[in-house]
Amino acid sequence: MSVGAIVAVIRKKEATRGSSYKLNETEKVVLKYDKNMDNKLQRDELKKALTDRSKGRKPPEPTDDELTFMLSFFTPKKKDFIAEDDVAAALKYWANYLEAESSITGIFSQYDSEGSAQLDVKAIAKLLADHEGSAVEENDLRQVMLEADVIGDGVIRKIEFLQFLDTWEKIKAKKKSSICTLL
């Protein structure tokens, strides 16, 4: 993006928000990667933004599954772009994922017997049973798969694992809360 284009965007924002307006981090990211200036990151633009934040990762580029997840999770109606309002949350998720990626890989190596980089329902049931100390109720297993399988292919991939953990914690908290109300 040219300097003139950036100045034009800043002036537009100044006109609507006040003359001393400074770009926030999300706006800087969108300005840097949004080639057609539509205030959205298209798939290829998002890939570049995530790649630039993947220092030290081999390879640094997100996989197709990772991009599909990011676009599906952070975009209503699963469009092929992320709107400016959702960029900050997407970048935060990506940073958290990168931080946890080696731990997630370790878990997958333990429960992904086929080495497919995905966990099916049986593997998820075993993982949860091992973690919880007993078998997981079928309804809870269905619920966690429904919410965590963002890509929608019936398995949990590495990129979906943080969502899986978050969903499982919510299910457990809800069960605990309903038990407390009975008392």
Side-chain angles (χ1 to χ4, degrees), residues 15-177:
T16 58
R17 297 186 189 170
S19 62
S20 63
Y21 182 77
K22 296 209 186 310
L23 293 174
N24 65 37
E25 281 306 306
T26 301
E27 291 165 330
K28 288 177 186 176
V29 168
V30 172
L31 277 174
K32 181 175 181 179
Y33 298 100
D34 181 16
K35 301 295 183 218
N36 61 359
M37 296 181 62
D38 61 356
N39 291 327
K40 301 172 188 163
L41 294 182
Q42 306 296 329
R43 186 180 190 90
D44 61 326
E45 297 165 339
L46 177 64
K47 182 175 185 175
K48 179 72 174 131
L50 297 178
T51 298
D52 287 353
R53 281 159 181 71
S54 302
K55 304 295 184 230
R57 182 180 192 225
K58 304 283 183 211
E61 299 85 15
T63 65
D64 284 338
D65 285 339
E66 290 167 341
L67 281 172
T68 298
F69 170 85
M70 297 296 285
L71 290 164
S72 298
F73 191 69
F74 292 100
T75 305
K77 299 183 182 175
K78 301 187 189 239
K79 306 235 186 229
D80 210 25
F81 63 82
I82 293 182
E84 182 177 359
D85 293 344
D86 299 317
V87 169
L91 294 177
K92 183 175 181 180
Y93 188 97
W94 183 250
N96 290 339
Y97 171 66
L98 291 178
E99 187 176 321
E101 189 174 21
S102 64
S103 297
I104 293 169
T105 298
I107 292 168
F108 270 67
S109 67
Q110 187 176 354
Y111 291 95
D112 176 17
S113 59
E114 297 172 11
S116 61
Q118 57 193 26
L119 300 177
D120 61 14
V121 176
K122 278 176 67 174
I124 291 293
K126 178 161 179 30
L127 183 154
L128 289 173
D130 289 352
H131 179 70
E132 297 298 325
S134 63
V136 175
E137 292 180 27
E138 191 67 31
N139 280 348
D140 293 341
L141 189 57
R142 263 196 303 277
Q143 186 66 33
V144 78
M145 290 300 290
L146 180 68
E147 291 184 35
D149 179 20
V150 174
I151 294 173
D153 56 0
V155 295
I156 301 299
R157 298 176 181 281
K158 290 180 184 180
I159 188 69
E160 295 170 312
F161 199 73
L162 293 177
Q163 177 61 20
F164 158 74
L165 293 174
D166 185 56
T167 301
W168 181 245
E169 289 303 315
K170 287 177 183 172
I171 289 170
K172 285 181 12 180
K174 185 177 177 185
K175 288 183 105 164
K176 186 175 182 178
S177 172

